Amino acid sequence: MNIEVTAVEAPTSPFETREYDVTDTMCQMIVCLTCPVTFLPLIPGVMGKKTLVLEEEEVYYEVRGGLCDITTRRPYGELQNVAKENVLCCSGFSSGLMQGMVLCPGSGCNHDLVDEIVTKMKRRMKERGDTGQIRRTEDALMEIKALKSDIEDIKRNMQTIATSLNVPTVTYGSVPLAEAEMDRGDHGSWKP
């Protein structure tokens, strides 16, 4: 069985780095007004300036909340999903990067920004995720090819050893096997 490895070229147009201020100002105001009821401002990551940076190979999400800062960085292939979400009358988005949290940038009415972010993240997920999968497949094929070569070397070495010891070889299917006859007679003597 021959295994052929063909190289698949990665997309040639690199993605430009884009930075978005995705601070959900309206949601944070509502959280502050309802603080005695919800206590949400006490949960890390709810309050503060939120920034989303789309880099060439990975996405970077940062929350600067004064008392608690959160930074998350992931390759696009590990995001799992990106979706546009509607929360009441607000437009937002969610992804595996934010652990299911919906972000509604600004006042929650910035539909164009949300559409742009979702479109760019999905495109990068598709291209970078597919590229990463192709790269891992190529690596696996190269390892298989190296193992196949090692097995062929071992078989040749075994055949050489069997020939030098005058061990008759038999063929089972298409694989030659060395079959040694054991001398069960004199156990006290060893002959090289």
Side-chain angles (χ1 to χ4, degrees), residues 43-72:
I43 298 173
V46 173
M47 301 299 288
K49 177 176 174 46
K50 300 173 183 176
T51 306
L52 183 72
V53 180
L54 305 180
E55 296 176 346
E56 187 174 344
E57 296 291 331
E58 55 190 10
V59 62
Y60 174 78
Y61 176 62
E62 176 181 61
V63 179
R64 295 280 175 216
L67 297 175
C68 180
D69 295 338
I70 297 172
T71 302
T72 304

Side-chain angles (χ1 to χ4, degrees), residues 5-79:
V5 178
T6 57
V8 177
E9 290 188 24
T12 55
S13 61
F15 291 111
E16 61 186 41
T17 299
R18 297 292 308 252
E19 183 172 330
Y20 298 98
D21 180 4
V22 292
T23 305
D24 46 356
T25 312
M26 181 61 75
C27 293
Q28 289 184 27
M29 287 174 32
I30 292 171
V31 165
C32 285
L33 291 173
T34 61
C35 179
V37 177
T38 62
F39 295 102
L40 282 175
L42 302 176
I43 298 173
V46 173
M47 301 299 288
K49 177 176 174 46
K50 300 173 183 176
T51 306
L52 183 72
V53 180
L54 305 180
E55 296 176 346
E56 187 174 344
E57 296 291 331
E58 55 190 10
V59 62
Y60 174 78
Y61 176 62
E62 176 181 61
V63 179
R64 295 280 175 216
L67 297 175
C68 180
D69 295 338
I70 297 172
T71 302
T72 304
R73 180 182 297 271
R74 284 206 193 134
Y76 291 105
E78 294 179 11
L79 284 181

Side-chain angles (χ1 to χ4, degrees), residues 15 55-59 73-82 95-97 120-136:
F15 291 111
E55 296 176 346
E56 187 174 344
E57 296 291 331
E58 55 190 10
V59 62
R73 180 182 297 271
R74 284 206 193 134
Y76 291 105
E78 294 179 11
L79 284 181
Q80 298 169 346
N81 65 0
V82 175
S95 76
L97 181 69
K120 287 189 181 294
M121 284 181 75
K122 282 186 175 183
R123 181 170 169 245
R124 291 171 191 233
M125 276 178 58
K126 180 180 181 335
E127 290 193 26
R128 291 304 182 211
D130 290 348
T131 300
Q133 182 64 32
I134 289 169
R135 190 175 305 126
R136 286 187 293 275

